[in-house]
């Protein structure tokens, strides 16, 4: 299984276009040792030709341009994207579908609440329904809340890849009809297995809580590619760029009691953080926080990172 990190930042990217926090300012004036990052998305393939795009970032056009296998190569107009899967209905994970409109019809896999949000609150399925005579062809995703009753599924053009979708407790986006009434399927992680190599990935860019039903999956995985949004829960408040804590937004901070690092210390798999907010000091490769990750064997993803399982 080949995994390509197309984008590794949280919403807004890094540096964020309208932000002058210490991290963004430091990157712009050259005083910070950090890489620029686009908004989070990954692509998965078993043959290097047919790819499953997981989340469609607003930065998708630049991300595809930076990755040769996604370029048209087999026909006058084509792409390496065989299908798209959405983890949630957040704007930074779905707006890229608009940028892909010339490629319609596009197969899109998502849970029922995500389809509802993207049909009513942010009606992207309606916007594109007549594009190229096909629009977005939605496929439902079975959610597996229990390891013992899991319902893995496959995507026809992505050979040798088996996927299990796992619900995560989270909040729907602000435009969701059920924003204040969370339902199962608002957010999910996936367990992806290559049936030939045996490689196993657990991917959850929006992980706000380590729930018991996740543990059998994380313990079985060879690689955990998980939420790295914030270093501390009150990070955005302390830096005066927001009013909400990470946990309120559905993101488990790395530090502190019960934080992501405490959880990852119990795991044997390769550990990689993704969906990193522009305020997070781990973006500074010379920071103490980055050194702490290294001491604990936790990696920080970057745009263009490649993982093979």
């Amino acid at each position: 299984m080949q995994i390509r990190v197309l984008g590794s930042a949280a919403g807004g990217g890094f540096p964020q276009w309208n932000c002058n926090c210490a991290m963004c300012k430091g990157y712009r004036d050259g005083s910070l040792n950090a890489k620029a990052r686009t908004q989070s998305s990954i692509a998965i393939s078993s043959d290097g030709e047919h790819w499953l795009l997981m989340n469609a970032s607003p930065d998708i056009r630049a991300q595809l341009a930076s990755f040769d296998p996604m370029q048209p190569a087999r026909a006058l107009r084509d792409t390496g994207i065989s299908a798209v899967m959405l983890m949630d209905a957040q704007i930074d994970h779905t707006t890229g579908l608009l940028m892909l409109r010339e490629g319609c019809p596009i197969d899109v896999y998502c849970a029922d609440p995500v389809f509802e949000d993207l049909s009513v609150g942010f009606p992207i399925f309606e916007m594109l329904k007549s594009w190229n005579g096909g629009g977005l062809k939605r496929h439902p995703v079975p959610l597996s809340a229990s390891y013992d009753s899991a319902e893995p599924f496959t995507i026809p053009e992505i050979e040798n890849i088996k996927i299990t979708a796992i619900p995560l407790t989270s909040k729907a986006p602000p435009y969701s009809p059920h924003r204040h009434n969370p339902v199962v399927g608002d957010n999910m992680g996936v367990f992806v297995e290559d049936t030939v190599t045996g490689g196993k990935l657990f991917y959850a860019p929006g992980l706000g809580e380590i729930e018991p039903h996740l543990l059998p999956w994380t313990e079985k995985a060879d690689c955990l590619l998980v939420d790295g949004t914030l270093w501390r829960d009150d990070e955005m408040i302390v830096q005066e760029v927001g009013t909400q804590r990470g946990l309120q937004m559905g993101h488990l901070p790395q530090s502190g009691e019960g934080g992501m690092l405490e959880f990852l210390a119990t795991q044997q798999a390769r550990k990689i953080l993704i969906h990193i907010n522009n305020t997070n000091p781990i973006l500074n490769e010379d920071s103490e926080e980055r050194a702490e990750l290294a001491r604990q064997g936790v990696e920080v993803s970057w745009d263009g990172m490649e993982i093979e399982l």
Side-chain angles (χ1 to χ4, degrees), residues 19 36 92 131 171:
C19 187
D92 53 316
W131 211 274
K171 295 177 69 173

Side-chain angles (χ1 to χ4, degrees), residues 171-199:
K171 295 177 69 173
Y175 42 78
S176 170
H178 54 270
R179 166 68 169 178
H180 302 293
N181 181 30
V183 298
V184 174
D186 281 336
N187 185 19
M188 69 182 192
V190 289
F191 183 83
V192 186
E193 181 177 1
D194 188 315
T195 59
V196 174
T197 67

Side-chain angles (χ1 to χ4, degrees), residues 13-16 19-29 32 278:
F14 175 72
Q16 184 170 304
C19 187
N20 201 33
C21 70
M23 300 296 295
C24 292
K25 182 178 184 295
Y27 177 84
R28 291 192 185 97
D29 66 22
L32 196 75
N278 61 291

Side-chain angles (χ1 to χ4, degrees), residues 98 100-105 127-136:
L98 292 171
L100 298 177
R101 61 193 182 275
E102 293 86 358
C104 288
M127 294 178 206
L128 296 179
K129 68 179 181 181
S130 299
W131 211 274
N132 286 354
L136 304 176

Side-chain angles (χ1 to χ4, degrees), residues 66-267:
S66 69
F67 188 38
D68 287 345
M70 293 294 194
Q71 301 302 304
R74 296 149 292 269
L76 184 61
R77 284 193 173 185
D78 83 332
T79 175
I81 300 173
S82 293
V84 180
M85 181 174 293
L86 304 175
M87 303 295 105
D88 53 48
Q90 299 291 343
I91 201 164
D92 53 316
H93 288 161
T94 60
T95 311
L97 291 170
L98 292 171
M99 318 308 167
L100 298 177
R101 61 193 182 275
E102 293 86 358
C104 288
I106 298 172
D107 291 307
V108 179
Y109 291 75
C110 63
D112 289 344
V114 171
F115 180 58
E116 179 188 357
D117 290 348
L118 299 180
S119 299
V120 181
F122 176 34
I124 196 166
F125 278 90
E126 289 297 309
M127 294 178 206
L128 296 179
K129 68 179 181 181
S130 299
W131 211 274
N132 286 354
L136 304 176
K137 300 175 65 176
R138 189 261 172 153
H139 301 267
V141 169
L143 293 168
S144 300
S146 167
Y147 182 80
D148 294 329
S149 60
E151 296 183 64
F153 63 96
T154 59
I155 294 174
E157 290 190 27
I158 311 295
E159 295 183 350
N160 307 319
I161 295 294
K162 185 170 63 174
I163 303 167
T164 305
I166 306 158
L168 307 177
T169 298
S170 188
K171 295 177 69 173
Y175 42 78
S176 170
H178 54 270
R179 166 68 169 178
H180 302 293
N181 181 30
V183 298
V184 174
D186 281 336
N187 185 19
M188 69 182 192
V190 289
F191 183 83
V192 186
E193 181 177 1
D194 188 315
T195 59
V196 174
T197 67
K200 302 174 183 68
L201 169 73
F202 178 80
Y203 173 57
L207 187 56
E209 181 181 347
I210 305 301
E211 302 172 87
H213 72 274
L214 302 180
L215 300 181
W217 299 108
T218 63
E219 290 166 1
K220 189 179 179 182
D222 300 304
C223 179
L224 306 178
L225 188 56
V226 294
D227 194 329
T229 307
L230 301 171
W231 177 258
R232 50 186 285 179
D233 189 40
D234 61 354
E235 184 171 297
M236 296 183 70
I237 298 172
V238 169
Q239 297 198 31
E240 300 182 339
V241 296
T243 59
Q244 287 190 305
R245 292 177 174 270
L247 290 171
Q248 290 176 298
M249 297 184 291
H251 297 290
L252 184 66
Q254 281 104 66
S255 64
E257 184 177 353
M260 186 66 78
L261 288 182
E262 184 178 288
F263 163 67
L264 292 178
T266 68
Q267 302 296 297

